[in-house]
Amino acid sequence: MNLFFSKNIDKDLNKIILDGQEHLHLIKVLRKSIDDNINVTDGLGFIYLCKITNIHKTYSELTINEINNDNSHKPILNLAVSILKKSNRFEFLLEKAVEIGVSEITPIISKHTEKKKLNFERLNKIMLSALKQSKSSILPKLNNTIEVKHYIDNTSSSYSNYVATCKNNQTKSIKSVLKPNLNVNILIGPEGDFSHDELIYAKNANFTPVSFSNKRLRSETAAIYFCTLFSYINKLWVLKK
């Protein structure tokens, strides 16, 4: 069953409104009718099982029949990754991160970052599409762009903090240090990696330099690899409990 997204949810009245592209997709593409059942998410971990009760020109009214909560306690993954030179590579990264599951995504700017701006409207549409395609109920928060050192300064010391690099000979294998059920921040740099000064700055702020492979990975590949590893380790831990 298709999954729809709405922020216009009134649990007290047991009602949901679908408008804009969600309404058009429901009526014009899928040809849904009154009394048809659909699923809706708010992106906050809830799935609403609904019935279409009214169809108007610009919006549809739904009645909530059941609410399922998938927002159980899960460790937080904050992915801080440099803006990439090619927009389509950053968009691909974002799409896969949503599908795999992260908590927050922060575009960062480092010394070697070549591109400084992003089309946030387009990126949010890509993330929403990935959410619905993967039938996930949690939409990660996409933060504003920030300088890498400012990001480091505002990182919680209660998290496990890592900085990915292929330059530092003293890196540790991420598989040897990543532990389950812990909140994590991961820094991933641009095509030219982080500068020496940025790596020292991160290390002084208790970010552990890590490597993902004995091969040199593209930034988007490294980000997707880490998201996958984080998800796998935590799911495996849950199964073993």
Side-chain angles (χ1 to χ4, degrees), residues 92-187:
F92 178 78
L93 182 164
L94 215 63
E95 178 185 72
K96 299 311 169 189
V98 173
E99 292 177 7
I100 297 167
V102 301
S103 304
E104 293 188 20
I105 302 168
T106 304
I108 56 175
I109 296 175
S110 73
K111 182 179 180 180
H112 297 147
T113 301
E114 296 187 30
K115 188 175 180 179
K116 309 295 182 181
K117 294 184 179 180
L118 291 168
N119 184 340
F120 277 87
E121 183 178 355
R122 175 174 170 80
L123 293 180
N124 278 295
K125 288 181 179 178
I126 289 171
M127 291 176 64
L128 185 56
S129 177
L131 174 87
K132 295 189 294 180
Q133 186 277 329
S134 60
K135 295 186 178 180
S136 174
S137 62
I138 300 177
L139 182 66
K141 180 182 179 183
L142 178 61
N143 294 316
N144 292 326
T145 304
I146 188 173
E147 296 282 344
V148 62
K149 290 185 178 180
H150 292 163
Y151 181 87
I152 292 170
D153 290 341
N154 289 284
T155 299
S156 172
S157 59
S158 65
Y159 282 48
S160 295
N161 297 315
Y162 305 107
V163 54
T165 179
C166 56
K167 288 183 177 179
N168 195 326
N169 292 329
Q170 297 180 356
T171 58
K172 297 180 179 180
S173 167
I174 188 61
K175 290 182 179 180
S176 69
V177 295
L178 184 61
K179 306 299 180 186
N181 202 33
L182 294 175
N183 297 331
V184 168
N185 278 300
I186 179 71
L187 288 171

Side-chain angles (χ1 to χ4, degrees), residues 1-4 25 30 32 37-40 132 135:
M1 184 178 291
N2 294 83
L3 182 65
F4 293 84
H25 186 70
L30 298 180
K32 294 293 185 180
N37 295 314
I38 65 169
N39 292 337
V40 179
K132 295 189 294 180
K135 295 186 178 180

